[in-house]
Amino acid sequence: DHRDLHSFPTRRSSDLSGLVKRTAKQLEEIRADITAGKVQVAVGTHALLSDKITYASLGLLVVDEEQRFGVKQKEKIKGASTNVDVLSLTATPIPRTFYMCATGIRDMSLLATPPSGRLKVETKVAARDDGLMLQAVQKELARGGQVFYVVPRIDQVAAEVEQLESLLPQASISFAYSGLRDLEARIVDFTMGNIDIMVATTIMENGIDIPNVNTLVVQNSHLFG
């Protein structure tokens, strides 16, 4: 769950009515409950690592999407791990984590069995080939799917949109990147299936889950970090 401290339920987790924006006073009460041990499970973002929070008897720290945590947060996790069991989950290879596992500092388990019905991901890496790209996009659109079309730079978005519009005049195309005033509306429109192709920067990786998007085209991948 990626809600932060503002969205903590103060009662049972099944009480979804509690998932609302908290006032400063309510946040203080939540922190006090955590400190007093009245909260057995706290779910949130790295706000849980704040110096404003102390734990009565913290025994397990679960870090979901480890690759999204910055250096400062990881240092706090490292500090907590001297007295607390830490379970880190990630789908992205992290060199430092692999090294720690290889040297025996950390244990590692791999989930290699895909969910039931999950098809194998087909990946093609090649020099830019607009014919290959067009074939992949047309195949996805023909079966009623949608496409994420990713570029590494904002200043490359306009040219890619223009080219796609010329190659696929019947397709509905939009774009998304950080700073757009109507960014949320664009993503919602895409999620609802009103857009066939979304040209985006890496902003699309930030918690966006759209099951109908089964084709991802990445251009100029050598420019990514």
Side-chain angles (χ1 to χ4, degrees), residues 2 9 28 31 36 53 69 76 102 137 142 172 192 198 217 219:
H2 301 290
E28 189 60 38
R31 296 189 190 103
I53 301 179
F69 283 71
K76 286 198 172 186
V137 172
S172 56
M192 298 301 293
M198 176 63 78
V217 177
Q219 297 287 21

Side-chain angles (χ1 to χ4, degrees), residues 184-197:
E184 182 177 355
R186 289 172 179 269
I187 296 300
V188 169
D189 212 24
F190 187 50
T191 304
M192 298 301 293
N194 300 324
I195 301 297
D196 295 319
I197 305 171

Side-chain angles (χ1 to χ4, degrees), residues 25 58 73 100 144 150 156 164 166:
K25 182 179 179 180
L58 183 63
Q73 286 79 32
M100 293 175 70
V150 183
Q156 296 172 342
L164 287 169
S166 65

Side-chain angles (χ1 to χ4, degrees), residues 4-214:
D4 61 16
L5 188 58
H6 290 275
S7 299
F8 281 172
T10 55
R11 296 292 179 263
R12 296 182 62 83
S13 60
S14 58
D15 181 15
L16 299 181
S17 62
L19 302 180
V20 295
K21 191 75 172 179
R22 301 301 192 185
T23 64
K25 182 179 179 180
Q26 288 173 324
L27 289 175
E28 189 60 38
E29 291 175 352
I30 293 171
R31 296 189 190 103
D33 285 345
I34 293 176
T35 300
K38 296 180 180 179
V39 175
Q40 282 74 48
V41 180
V43 182
T45 63
H46 53 71
L48 291 174
L49 300 174
S50 170
D51 293 331
K52 295 181 179 180
I53 301 179
T54 56
Y55 295 89
S57 57
L58 183 63
L60 175 64
L61 172 63
V62 180
V63 180
D64 190 16
E65 302 281 6
E66 182 190 6
Q67 75 277 8
R68 297 189 185 280
F69 283 71
V71 174
K72 290 183 179 180
Q73 286 79 32
K74 288 184 178 179
E75 286 301 314
K76 286 198 172 186
I77 293 172
K78 185 192 299 183
S81 64
T82 56
N83 300 310
V84 178
D85 292 323
V86 178
L87 175 62
S88 297
L89 312 175
T90 181
T92 302
I94 301 175
R96 185 174 70 167
T97 299
F98 278 159
Y99 176 75
M100 293 175 70
C101 294
T103 55
I105 298 175
R106 296 178 62 172
D107 294 325
M108 179 173 67
S109 297
L110 298 177
L111 297 179
T113 303
S116 178
R118 175 69 60 85
L119 300 177
K120 182 179 180 180
V121 176
E122 182 179 348
T123 304
K124 291 186 179 180
V125 180
R128 176 151 188 161
D129 184 340
D130 289 334
L132 179 62
M133 175 274 294
L134 186 60
Q135 180 182 358
V137 172
Q138 288 177 324
K139 180 179 179 180
E140 183 62 53
L141 298 185
R143 64 179 182 178
Q146 295 165 273
V147 177
F148 258 128
Y149 190 102
V150 183
V151 295
R153 305 283 188 270
I154 292 178
D155 57 13
Q156 296 172 342
V157 170
E160 297 293 349
V161 170
E162 184 177 350
Q163 181 182 31
L164 287 169
E165 288 177 339
S166 65
L167 293 173
L168 298 159
Q170 303 302 320
S172 56
I173 302 170
S174 186
F175 58 89
Y177 53 80
S178 179
L180 289 175
R181 291 184 177 180
D182 60 343
L183 178 60
E184 182 177 355
R186 289 172 179 269
I187 296 300
V188 169
D189 212 24
F190 187 50
T191 304
M192 298 301 293
N194 300 324
I195 301 297
D196 295 319
I197 305 171
M198 176 63 78
V199 180
T201 58
T202 53
I203 192 173
M204 52 75 65
E205 73 175 353
N206 293 319
I208 300 175
D209 181 16
I210 308 176
N212 198 44
V213 180
N214 291 296

